[in-house]
Amino acid sequence: MGPDSDARRWPALVAAWYVTAFCAVAGGAVVWNMATGSPLRDNAVVVLALVLRGLTVLLALAAVQRWGRRLPDWTVLAGLCGAAAVQLLYPVAETVVKTLILTGLMDPIDKGISNMSGEGWFNFGATWLVWGVPGVLFALAARDFGRRRPVRAGWVAFGLVAGAALLAGLGAAIG
């Protein structure tokens, strides 16, 4: 099995497919909202998410397609790590908070992350479906890309920190 075999490509290809499917659903919702009179500004957060997720699709494909070799390896690996971080941080944080609440080590806070109702658990599952699953796929794609195209560990750290910073910035911008 060579370094560019399908076995090493599947996480990036599945990540690209998965995120594209999400974008199709969310994009359809934006089109529906706007067709029924909702102004673009009411859909701006979703449009921003679609643009950012579209960039992650291109990044995943760059990791496994011939045209991606035109990009410096460090940018692809750092980007894959950043995409993994930005998508995994919230679901992992919510898992930790819910575990702490369930074990009695923490009292619920006045935030959705600690909502233990049926709605809270539904949102928890949706968070993992929309963010966690692709985050895991991007982490696997980063691991496989790093094995095929070794890059200094500093770029991995940079990608993780940049992804976390982007998530914090998006959270601050959204409110």
Side-chain angles (χ1 to χ4, degrees):
M1 208 178 293
D4 290 326
S5 70
D6 286 341
R8 298 224 186 232
R9 295 165 35 113
W10 76 264
L13 294 173
V14 174
W17 172 87
Y18 196 94
V19 173
T20 298
F22 166 82
C23 288
V25 171
V30 168
V31 169
W32 175 263
N33 285 342
M34 293 179 63
T36 57
S38 178
L40 179 60
R41 72 177 174 278
D42 290 351
N43 297 283
V45 170
V46 178
V47 171
L48 175 61
L50 289 171
V51 169
L52 292 173
R53 302 235 40 213
L55 291 173
T56 66
V57 167
L58 291 174
L59 187 60
L61 293 174
V64 295
Q65 298 294 320
R66 190 175 310 273
W67 57 263
R69 291 184 182 165
R70 293 182 186 147
L71 300 173
D73 290 343
W74 67 267
T75 60
V76 176
L77 185 59
L80 290 169
C81 291
V86 78
Q87 293 180 88
L88 279 172
L89 280 173
Y90 188 82
V92 168
E94 187 167 355
T95 300
V96 169
V97 168
K98 287 196 181 312
T99 300
L100 292 173
I101 292 169
L102 287 172
T103 58
L105 296 172
M106 178 181 164
D107 291 326
I109 57 175
D110 190 27
K111 299 284 181 195
I113 196 169
S114 67
N115 182 347
M116 302 303 271
S117 71
E119 176 188 27
W121 285 104
F122 175 84
N123 290 340
F124 175 70
T127 296
W128 271 102
L129 222 89
V130 171
W131 301 106
V133 170
V136 169
L137 291 167
F138 276 98
L140 292 171
R143 181 197 66 191
D144 291 344
F145 184 83
R147 287 179 178 167
R148 287 183 285 121
R149 302 234 187 312
V151 174
R152 286 192 207 148
W155 290 113
V156 171
F158 173 79
L160 294 172
V161 170
L166 178 62
L167 181 62
L170 290 172
I174 293 169

